[in-house]
Amino acid sequence: MKKSFGSFHTKRLNKSPQISDQTSEMKESTKQDGEIDNSKKLSLDLNTNLANIKQRFAKCSDLVFREFSIFQTQKAVLIFIDGLNDSNQLELHLLKQLMSTENILLRGSSLKKLLEQFVTVAQTTEVQTIEELLEHVLSGEAVLLADGETSAIALSVKKWDHRSVEEPLSEAVIRGPRDGFTESIRTNTALLRRRIRTENLKMESMKIGRVTKTDVIIAFIDGIVTDSVVTEIKSRLERIDIDGVLESGYIEELIEDNPFSPFPQFQNTERPDVVAANLLEGKVAIFVDGTPFVLITPITLYGLLQASEDYYERALISTMLRWIRFIFFLIALLLPSLYIAITTYHQEMLPTNLLLSVASARESSPFPAFVEALIMEITFEALREAGVRLPRPVGSAISIVGALVIGQAAVQAGIVSAPMVIVVSITGIASFTIPRFNLGISVRMLRFPIMIMAGILGLFGIVIGLLIILIHLSKLRSLGVPYLSPMAPLTFENLKDVLVRAPHWALGLRPRVFGYQNPQRIAPGLRPRPGKK
């Protein structure tokens, strides 16, 4: 079978010379033959184990040691962190059962057998070393230690306060699901499992961060995704050596192909339906605990200009909206530069009546068009940032009223001309039509160097700036996938979902560039034909 990842030119980076503390601890705690180092094993003496643990957790007031007796004679202790556990499960399913007098019948049995007979917690794990015990406790589990036992039992009783599932504010839709990811990684994976109910949905977990030990999960559909994509993602994640990961943006910056590109090479989303749709195309999702934003890779420029609602509305409507998005994408990038170039160097391109109108409006302005545009664009960006950072009820009012008041006052004071205010306003509206925030902010940033080129060389400067951007985009890769595919390189069979959105019954094949292990996603012959079965 022909592999679709033939354009995979990304070089695998060498391993970091610095070995993380987590890796070094694992190497120290295991011998070459796989046996556990005796110096790291739990002791038969409960007091020795408790002394080691309390020394490691010195000055940790939230760590709880609940001492009790099992079999009425054997000392035991339950170790957990207050606030990360379900207190009802601890009391009813653990302590009540373990301290019951019925346990006397099992006197002389191992702790593991006692748990099998009496404890009703769903998940238990045997722990043999201090390091494993610390990891389970810090993950929110309760660990049971008993005197005379060389192993402990970690019991999954995790529970902490988290935000409920709500509609994501950054990706609102008129038609579509209303649920969104939260800061809990298990809630997020459950939302994905709810949509993709197959055993081929794989979720491989790892911990990243020497201090935070953040849970990271790689999700993909086995049999659809290309194996080389998953291998490359694992390789890039495993080489990360950092103190902590607090958000998926940390991961994105550490594993992207070109760190100096203004264009995003990962898509981030709060919507489970978006993640599910991308996994069905052969992509990979990266979940990070503590953030609702899930990373999707590889991506293309055209994918970032598509909204999830494109696939919930009818094909003709979605195609029209997609073209509006493309047009306003170019307006957001080029409109101020075109105004600067034409009014400064190429006045002959304007009709006479329009030229006279613009000239009369700019007559009282003391600044050239480039300075006017720069003042208004910087002011508009400042108002937008202020609207985001202020409290929500105040922010929207400040940004709208501020733009109107400042624009009107600037025109009346003769600082800027009225056409410039109109140009900047249309440009701002156009930037809001870009469905992905990370792409929209890239366009806003690129607008300024193109304005400088237009102010120096006119339309020739704009053409040079566009050529530089196109050359960069043609060289850019997202995990080895060409950023402009399927337009460059051209793949005819995938053009049905780029400039237009073909009906679902016509989208029979998955995009070749992402994965072609299982190309057929829709059975042929599903076009509606009234009167025919």
Side-chain angles (χ1 to χ4, degrees):
M1 183 180 295
K2 182 179 178 181
K3 291 187 177 180
S4 64
F5 219 63
S7 60
F8 194 87
H9 299 299
T10 305
K11 294 182 179 179
R12 296 180 61 177
L13 298 176
N14 295 328
K15 294 287 184 180
S16 174
Q18 297 179 348
I19 302 176
S20 65
D21 291 349
Q22 182 180 356
T23 306
S24 62
E25 289 171 356
M26 292 175 61
K27 288 186 177 181
E28 291 175 1
S29 62
T30 57
K31 296 182 180 179
Q32 292 182 355
D33 58 358
E35 296 181 0
I36 300 174
D37 188 355
N38 291 329
S39 63
K40 298 294 183 179
K41 277 188 174 181
L42 290 169
S43 172
L44 284 171
D45 183 21
L46 178 61
N47 293 329
T48 302
N49 293 329
L50 288 178
N52 291 335
I53 296 170
K54 288 180 179 179
Q55 182 181 5
R56 297 287 296 270
F57 279 103
K59 301 180 182 179
C60 295
S61 60
D62 56 345
L63 187 67
V64 179
F65 294 88
R66 175 62 169 90
E67 298 183 8
F68 59 97
S69 297
I70 55 178
F71 308 128
Q72 293 187 343
T73 57
Q74 187 177 6
K75 292 183 179 181
V77 62
L78 193 66
I79 306 172
F80 59 92
I81 293 180
D82 189 19
L84 297 184
N85 311 100
D86 188 343
S87 58
N88 291 328
Q89 287 195 54
L90 285 173
E91 295 173 4
L92 298 178
H93 299 285
L94 286 177
L95 293 174
K96 184 178 180 180
Q97 299 293 337
L98 292 172
M99 299 172 67
S100 173
T101 56
E102 298 177 4
N103 298 340
I104 300 176
L105 300 175
L106 293 176
R107 180 177 293 176
S109 302
S110 65
L111 184 61
K112 188 175 182 181
K113 186 175 181 180
L114 175 65
L115 293 175
E116 291 176 354
Q117 293 287 335
F118 286 92
V119 175
T120 57
V121 175
Q123 296 180 3
T124 61
T125 306
E126 189 173 3
V127 178
Q128 295 183 339
T129 67
I130 293 289
E131 299 302 330
E132 290 178 347
L133 185 148
L134 298 179
E135 182 178 341
H136 284 284
V137 170
L138 291 171
S139 297
E141 298 180 359
V143 177
L144 178 63
L145 274 169
D147 194 25
E149 295 282 348
T150 57
S151 62
I153 303 296
L155 306 113
S156 180
V157 287
K158 299 178 183 179
K159 184 179 180 182
W160 50 77
D161 294 332
H162 58 83
R163 184 168 57 92
S164 60
V165 176
E166 302 171 348
E167 181 180 4
L169 298 176
S170 60
E171 297 175 83
V173 295
I174 296 176
R175 179 177 180 177
R178 302 291 181 180
D179 55 343
F181 290 129
T182 68
E183 287 74 19
S184 172
I185 193 170
R186 279 305 166 198
T187 301
N188 297 342
T189 56
L191 289 172
L192 182 60
R193 283 282 183 191
R194 182 182 173 189
R195 285 170 169 78
I196 304 179
R197 304 175 185 181
T198 174
E199 69 279 5
N200 291 328
L201 175 58
K202 308 300 181 182
M203 295 188 181
E204 300 187 9
S205 63
M206 61 179 66
K207 291 185 182 294
I208 299 179
R210 292 189 299 265
V211 178
T212 60
K213 292 182 173 62
T214 306
D215 291 317
V216 176
I217 292 179
I218 306 171
F220 57 91
I221 300 180
D222 193 20
I224 295 179
V225 67
T226 305
D227 293 337
S228 56
V229 176
V230 180
T231 303
E232 180 66 19
I233 290 176
K234 290 180 184 177
S235 173
R236 297 188 187 191
L237 290 175
E238 287 171 355
R239 72 178 179 83
I240 295 177
D241 185 11
I242 190 173
D243 284 342
V245 174
L246 303 180
E247 214 275 336
S248 56
Y250 286 59
I251 301 292
E252 181 178 356
E253 285 196 39
L254 290 168
I255 65 174
E256 61 187 356
D257 289 58
N258 188 343
F260 299 105
S261 173
F263 291 93
Q265 293 145 64
F266 287 81
Q267 178 180 338
N268 59 72
T269 181
E270 294 184 77
R271 299 187 60 87
D273 58 319
V274 173
V275 174
N278 281 278
L279 293 187
L280 290 170
E281 288 188 347
K283 301 179 185 179
V284 179
I286 302 175
F287 292 81
V288 180
D289 194 22
T291 176
F293 289 94
V294 176
L295 301 179
I296 299 172
T297 185
I299 60 169
T300 64
L301 176 64
Y302 303 103
L304 293 173
L305 288 170
Q306 297 171 1
S308 58
E309 207 167 358
D310 289 354
Y311 300 92
Y312 304 146
E313 294 289 351
R314 295 172 62 245
L316 292 176
I317 304 299
S318 299
T319 300
M320 180 194 71
L321 294 176
R322 189 170 289 184
W323 270 99
I324 290 175
R325 235 175 270 133
F326 290 150
I327 293 171
F328 276 85
F329 172 80
L330 295 175
I331 289 176
L333 181 64
L334 299 176
L335 185 59
S337 305
L338 289 173
Y339 177 83
I340 294 170
I342 292 174
T343 56
T344 305
Y345 297 101
H346 311 282
Q347 297 91 343
E348 68 278 2
M349 296 182 64
L350 295 176
T352 305
N353 292 335
L354 179 59
L355 178 61
L356 293 174
S357 177
V358 171
S360 61
R362 295 198 66 252
E363 186 176 1
S364 59
S365 177
F367 302 111
F370 170 70
V371 177
E372 279 186 355
L374 202 60
I375 292 173
M376 291 304 299
E377 285 291 342
I378 292 175
T379 304
F380 191 87
E381 292 297 329
L383 287 171
R384 193 199 313 248
E385 185 69 12
V388 172
R389 303 305 164 199
L390 284 172
R392 190 175 303 170
V394 183
S396 58
I398 289 293
S399 58
I400 295 172
V401 173
L404 292 174
V405 171
I406 292 176
Q408 183 66 25
V411 172
Q412 291 183 351
I415 298 175
V416 296
S417 60
M420 179 57 70
V421 175
I422 296 172
V423 167
V424 172
S425 301
I426 295 175
T427 305
I429 294 171
S431 64
F432 292 138
T433 63
I434 300 174
R436 305 296 170 193
F437 175 78
N438 52 358
L439 179 61
I441 200 169
S442 300
V443 171
R444 287 157 52 190
M445 184 182 71
L446 289 173
R447 189 186 303 153
F448 289 96
I450 296 180
M451 286 167 52
I452 295 173
M453 297 289 287
I456 297 173
L457 299 174
L459 290 178
F460 299 103
I462 296 177
V463 172
I464 293 172
L466 286 177
L467 286 175
I468 293 173
I469 293 174
L470 286 174
I471 291 171
H472 172 72
L473 289 175
S474 64
K475 295 169 58 180
L476 190 60
R477 298 287 187 271
S478 173
L479 212 75
V481 172
Y483 205 66
L484 293 179
S485 60
M487 297 290 286
L490 184 61
T491 308
F492 286 102
E493 63 189 36
N494 296 143
L495 295 180
K496 296 178 181 179
D497 194 22
V498 179
L499 299 180
V500 299
R501 204 279 278 174
H504 286 293
W505 48 263
L507 298 174
L509 300 179
R510 290 186 176 86
R512 178 180 291 274
V513 71
F514 298 129
Y516 225 58
Q517 290 194 40
N518 183 7
Q520 195 74 33
R521 61 178 171 183
I522 298 176
L526 292 182
R527 178 181 176 181
R529 291 181 174 87
K532 294 185 179 181
K533 294 184 179 180

